[in-house]
Amino acid sequence: MKPFSLLSAAGLASLVSAASSTTLGRSDNSTYYNPVLPGWHSDPSCTQVDGTFFCATSTFISFPGIPIYASRDLINWKLVSHAWNRESQLPGVSWNTTGQQQGMYAPTLRHHDGEFYVVCEYLVTNNNIGVVFRSADPFSDAAWGDPVLFDAGTIDPDLFWDDDGRAYVATQGIVLQEIDLETGELSRPPVSLWNGTGGVWPEGPHLYRKDGWYYLLIAEGGTELDHSITMARSRNLTGPYEAYECNPVLTNRGTDEYFQTVGHGDLFQDPAGGWWGMSLATRSGPAWEVYPMGREAVLFPVAWDEGEWPVLQPVRGEMSGWTLPPTSREVPGDGPFNSDPDVYDFEAGTPIPRNLVYWRVPREGAFAVTAGGLRVVPSRNNLTGTPYSEATPELSGQQGLSFIGRRQTDTLFAFSVDLTFRPRQAGQEAGVAVFLTQVNHIDLGVVLLPGEGSNSSCASRRKQEAAETQWLALRFRAEGTGEPPEPKTVAVPAGWLDAGPIRLSIEAANATHYSLAAAPAADPDARVVVGTASAALVSGGNGSFVGSLVGAYATCNGAGAGVECPEGGDAYFNRWRYSGLGQYVSETEIV
Ligand SMILES: *[C@@H]1O[C@H](CO)[C@@H](O)[C@H](O)[C@H]1NC(C)=O
Ligand SMILES: *[C@@H]1O[C@H](CO)[C@@H](O)[C@H](O)[C@H]1NC(C)=O
Ligand SMILES: *[C@@H]1O[C@H](CO)[C@@H](O)[C@H](O)[C@H]1NC(C)=O
Ligand SMILES: *[C@@H]1O[C@H](CO)[C@@H](O)[C@H](O)[C@H]1NC(C)=O
Ligand SMILES: *[C@@H]1O[C@H](CO)[C@@H](O)[C@H](O)[C@H]1NC(C)=O
Ligand SMILES: *[C@@H]1O[C@H](CO)[C@@H](O)[C@H](O)[C@H]1NC(C)=O
Ligand SMILES: *[C@@H]1O[C@H](CO)[C@@H](O)[C@H](O)[C@H]1NC(C)=O
Ligand SMILES: *[C@@H]1O[C@H](CO)[C@@H](O)[C@H](O)[C@H]1NC(C)=O
């Protein structure tokens, strides 16, 4: 070893300054709040390139799929693209997807040789499809190419390049296969790497090369209250892998923490060399009954010394860890930041806002920004539809469901939109909904109903001289996990329609309930709360992998033929507003 006295003055100075900046960094730790990516953002996979962090998350059957979020400071995350953003990337696949929780499972996002890669498995009955999307520009939808397909046996592919440049996918199990990224061809048979520590569903693998080791990080215990992250390592890619004696390295199982289901994560470094991880978590407390936002993405600091196992900091609402990069919203791209409010006025010719998503690929022309606002052409299926049948797939929602929504990203929020709607035939309906799945949703619609109702429908009756009488109603209905409230139908008060659009709103004024209300847009004080419903309806159950969306819909409730509703039921939405009113970071603290 070189004696100290032989070090040049400059060398000594740099050594001292390195040591002091490290010390400073540690004593100057940052405080922040989880989740950093609130709302339905499960299975985050992240990487850092030239000082910008990127994360991809699961989207199941919602479309566009696999959002890419970018951040300079790990706190402000901007939606910059979706890896799956065009029907032509996977023709016909979305409309063949019947199950509410099929579709794009957990992706892995990596950067290699100047390109971004997203590898994922799309689940569709009897035909699971492995996909590798590539892009040189993650800030552009168009730059994501058509995927290379591969025949993965199971879900959750990782993508890892070994020192020799060969690429590998590890999947649920945990098994490893080499992949040809040009053709999708996989080596066979898969090599079993590790079965975990005994928890169910060893899955969500990620491989890291560090200090001469291959580190294997996996999720174990299932994505519910027993979820965890465990690790093993080997000197050899194919094993044998030795389990860490202090597993799990991260979990909140068996605790009474507000953040539960912590698991399925990924590790990455900041530009200063500090390690971090993102994983999913559910803000449910151990009762795990009310968690409409589903599985959200949380950030935790990681201390990972040379040759040692990493130390992952337990997930809480308020966190303290490595100094965060300086706050910055200087991120390219034209998408919104995930935590920003929506203020959308749908000026003709503008694109549909990037954070609004659909349930499967929409029918062509179903959504358009027109001079009248956001036009939604109704789907024959309502938000529930009928169970899938080959004879009438259009009534199952499979061939397009006219719903558009954004993630509920806040425990407490207010959402409203102004509806212009002139239904002509019974069954035509348009409204707003909290939507988890087709069997978990809470709706408030304006609907034309057949039969004798109230006199408020005289206007529409006069207009069309239909043989049967019809009346216009505000209809509240809910279905989902647990006990839904009784549906409620009240006449649209006289004069509301003549006064212009109707403002429909959804509010979460507390953490457990939504209230759905209507008012003439011109007279918001005339607001009537039509119904309230428990957020437990849109928590778990048939939608345990997904998270609630808040948005607008139009339907003709099965009238019409094929995929076409009777004419005249188009709905126009204007003045779309969503604003967060509070985040719970524990059972009792709101930030
Ligand atoms: C969709 O399903 C139909 C009927 O099962 C099948 O014939 C068709 O090949 C499928 N298309 C795709 C793209 O999977
Ligand atoms: C994991 O379990 C399977 C099935 O029991 C077994 O075939 C395989 O060898 C195990 N893998 C390892 C790495 O122990
Ligand atoms: C590493 O794997 C290779 C073949 O895959 C094998 O020949 C070698 O013995 C392994 N080394 C160790 C230390 O297990
Ligand atoms: C700063 O954060 C790191 C990473 O979480 C942790 O290891 C360290 O103990 C913290 N230092 C202080 C002084 O809290
Ligand atoms: C409609 O109004 C008329 C006259 O005001 C009244 O006699 C009738 O009962 C009303 N019908 C309904 C269904 O309310
Ligand atoms: C939450 O709001 C609902 C509906 O407004 C109400 O019934 C319930 O009592 C509220 N819960 C709490 C804890 O305030
Ligand atoms: C919802 O869950 C129930 C109970 O697990 C199941 O029987 C039903 O088929 C599910 N419905 C849908 C649409 O997935
Ligand atoms: C939803 O649509 C189905 C037909 O697709 C219909 O049977 C059902 O009654 C509708 N629900 C309501 C509340 O109108």
Side-chain angles (χ1 to χ4, degrees), residues 510 512-515 532:
N510 64 35
T512 59
H513 285 78
Y514 301 104
S515 57
T532 62

Side-chain angles (χ1 to χ4, degrees), residues 32-82:
Y32 65 90
Y33 292 102
N34 270 322
V36 293
L37 254 180
W40 169 30
H41 290 110
S42 58
D43 316 307
S45 174
C46 310
T47 190
Q48 181 259 124
V49 181
D50 297 335
T52 302
F53 302 89
F54 296 90
C55 290
T57 59
S58 301
T59 42
F60 298 89
I61 73 173
S62 67
F63 180 86
I66 316 185
I68 310 296
Y69 291 94
S71 176
R72 307 271 309 170
D73 59 12
L74 289 169
I75 302 299
N76 290 287
W77 290 92
K78 187 177 198 175
L79 175 63
V80 295
S81 63
H82 284 93

